[in-house]
Amino acid sequence: MILSHKNLKNLLWGSCLVATALNVQADNNIDSLTFDSRNDFENFSESLTNIFNHKTLFPAEQLGLTGFDVGASVSFAQSAYKLSNQSKRDQEILPIYSLHAIKGLPGGFDVGLHYNLLADSKASSWSAEVRYALIEGGTAQPAVSLSGNYTKGSGIEALNFSSYGVDLGISKGFANLTPYAGIGLVLANVDPEVENTNTTVDLKTENLSLMKFSAGLNVNLLFMDVLVGYNQIGENATYSLKAGYRF
């Protein structure tokens, strides 16, 4: 059965309600800072950037004036720390629930907004992006895009998080399959908002510069699109599954 726009809207709102219900325990809140060294805070900031920064979950093709891409996703982000008490972990996996909307504009541009909600937490982030089609792509050549994005965190009591990013992406459609890949740079700012519990360690703002790699596959099923995606920011990875409409 073909999904209507009303059904898609219900799907997106349902995703938000489920995510909110899962956040009741709030085990991933960051209300205090407990670091024994500046180096630990820097490494923690890298994990935080992987969790909240903008993820590439779209092919590089420009959507066109009447085109749009809307959907919901669930991602599983790696962290080297437990967020609530900043204790080190071999591999902490954190679920993130997101809503996405991208609209095509004239002149080869797309603009997008993304909302991301961290499970078991009151923390979230908003991302905005602008993409430009360097090569629109076609039957004989891939599409290539250049994009810039900005992300702002909220609900993180102990920290102020924001980041800028630039990405170069490429994709090529084959029938109903569109694989894509990209490389980029993330500039993140992690600013302590509360005093460190260990008063002998004075934490300062961390300004990070991290490489970003992305890859994925979008599958058009006629009635909807399903995408599996991978993003790596610094040393940490995120795996995503997205569903929605792309026209």
Side-chain angles (χ1 to χ4, degrees):
M1 181 179 69
I2 297 178
L3 294 177
S4 66
H5 291 288
K6 181 178 180 180
N7 289 336
L8 177 60
K9 182 178 179 181
N10 291 337
L11 171 65
L12 299 183
W13 279 111
S15 300
C16 287
L17 293 174
V18 171
T20 302
L22 292 172
N23 286 348
V24 174
Q25 293 181 328
D27 290 336
N28 290 321
N29 282 340
I30 309 174
D31 298 326
S32 62
L33 301 178
T34 58
F35 292 98
D36 294 328
S37 70
R38 285 285 306 276
N39 185 62
D40 274 347
F41 182 56
E42 179 182 2
N43 292 335
F44 176 81
S45 297
E46 291 190 15
S47 287
L48 198 74
T49 301
N50 182 61
I51 294 165
F52 290 107
N53 190 74
H54 171 71
K55 308 298 189 301
T56 301
L57 296 177
F58 304 90
E61 284 90 345
Q62 203 265 340
L63 289 170
L65 182 59
T66 61
F68 63 89
D69 188 323
V70 294
S73 69
V74 58
S75 299
F76 299 92
Q78 293 179 345
S79 173
Y81 293 81
K82 182 172 177 60
L83 298 189
S84 59
N85 59 15
Q86 296 97 57
S87 59
K88 289 185 179 180
R89 293 287 192 271
D90 289 336
Q91 188 181 86
E92 185 90 346
I93 303 297
L94 301 175
I96 302 166
Y97 307 96
S98 304
L99 297 177
H100 310 275
I102 293 183
K103 180 68 182 73
L105 298 176
F109 287 94
D110 293 335
V111 294
L113 287 174
H114 314 275
Y115 176 68
N116 313 292
L117 182 65
L118 176 63
D120 295 334
S121 172
K122 56 189 175 184
S124 62
S125 68
W126 282 95
S127 298
E129 67 171 322
V130 177
R131 298 194 298 167
Y132 177 69
L134 297 176
I135 302 175
E136 291 189 3
T139 304
Q141 63 182 359
V144 179
S145 67
L146 181 66
S147 65
N149 57 76
Y150 172 75
T151 300
K152 178 66 177 177
S154 63
I156 311 172
E157 295 293 334
L159 296 167
N160 183 17
F161 173 82
S162 62
S163 66
Y164 294 89
V166 60
D167 294 279
L168 181 66
I170 185 171
S171 65
K172 180 69 174 71
F174 303 94
N176 67 326
L177 305 177
T178 306
Y180 69 90
I183 185 171
L185 178 67
V186 176
L187 302 176
N189 179 286
V190 183
D191 185 21
E193 293 289 292
V194 300
E195 186 176 358
N196 191 31
T197 302
N198 184 348
T199 56
T200 63
V201 179
D202 186 21
L203 301 179
K204 303 294 185 181
T205 300
E206 290 292 339
N207 297 301
L208 305 175
S209 179
L210 301 170
M211 291 299 299
K212 175 184 172 184
F213 303 95
S214 61
L217 177 67
N218 187 85
V219 183
N220 181 275
L221 302 176
L222 297 181
F223 60 91
M224 69 183 303
D225 283 76
V226 175
L227 180 144
V228 290
Y230 170 85
N231 284 260
Q232 180 175 325
I233 299 174
E235 299 297 324
N236 298 297
T238 299
Y239 302 88
S240 304
L241 178 64
K242 173 177 169 281
Y245 288 115
R246 180 178 175 87
F247 291 105

